[in-house]
Amino acid sequence: MLAGLLLLLAACGSGAASNGGQSATPAPADQQAQGGSQPGAPATPGTADEGALPLAVLTRSGGIQGSTETLVVQSDGLLRLIDGDIGGQPLKEARATAAQIDTLKAAVQAEGWQQLQETYGAQTPDAYAYTISANSKTITTYDGAQNPPLLDDVLRQLNDLWQHALTS
């Protein structure tokens, strides 16, 4: 699974993080421009370029069942939940607002994002591991890890988008 994600990240980018037992999956930073969207309004699709890099990808793995799930966040606001790693079966799609996308984009492009470590914490039995890929950076963190505020913020945003996708 990790090898497959790393291959995808080499082509797209990757990362991971943890937020008190919640999950979200961020992905590599999107190189596309966000045009003409109003804050709070649903993000509108740009060009339908299947090869476009996601804004962020969050992969959550572990837990009691040892499952893996992924959230892919596109810069046009498309949210895609996937069973397994990035190549798995799509479970659900939803749309984020332009404001949610703009806030996430600003966080992963913040000055400190590239200075974050690659790993925070360690795996423990029945806990989740979170891998966030965004802006050409991949970060892994675990339930209970002491994360820097920027990483916690990005993980919180991704978890909120994950919940939005589940309930939409």
Side-chain angles (χ1 to χ4, degrees), residues 34 43 55 73-77 96-106:
Q34 176 98 352
L55 173 61
V73 180
Q74 296 292 143
S75 65
D76 67 357
T97 66
Q100 289 170 310
I101 296 300
D102 290 345
T103 302
L104 179 59
K105 186 179 288 187

Side-chain angles (χ1 to χ4, degrees), residues 1 5 15-26 57-72 81-86 91 123 126-133 139-143 155 158-159 162-163 166:
M1 173 186 85
L5 182 58
S18 170
N19 187 1
Q22 293 185 354
S23 68
T25 301
V57 174
L58 172 64
T59 300
R60 178 182 74 179
S61 61
I64 293 172
Q65 297 178 354
S67 63
T68 299
E69 299 170 302
T70 301
L71 172 70
V72 178
L81 285 174
I82 299 170
D83 181 20
D85 62 19
I86 198 77
L91 296 174
Q123 184 70 50
D126 299 332
Y128 282 101
Y130 304 87
T131 300
I132 297 172
S133 299
I139 302 167
T140 300
T141 188
Y142 304 90
D143 282 338
L155 185 58
L158 289 169
N159 281 321
W162 191 298
Q163 290 304 311
L166 282 175

Side-chain angles (χ1 to χ4, degrees), residues 133-155:
S133 299
N135 195 13
S136 301
K137 176 95 175 173
T138 299
I139 302 167
T140 300
T141 188
Y142 304 90
D143 282 338
Q146 294 296 317
N147 298 321
L150 178 58
L151 181 56
D152 276 341
D153 180 51
V154 169
L155 185 58

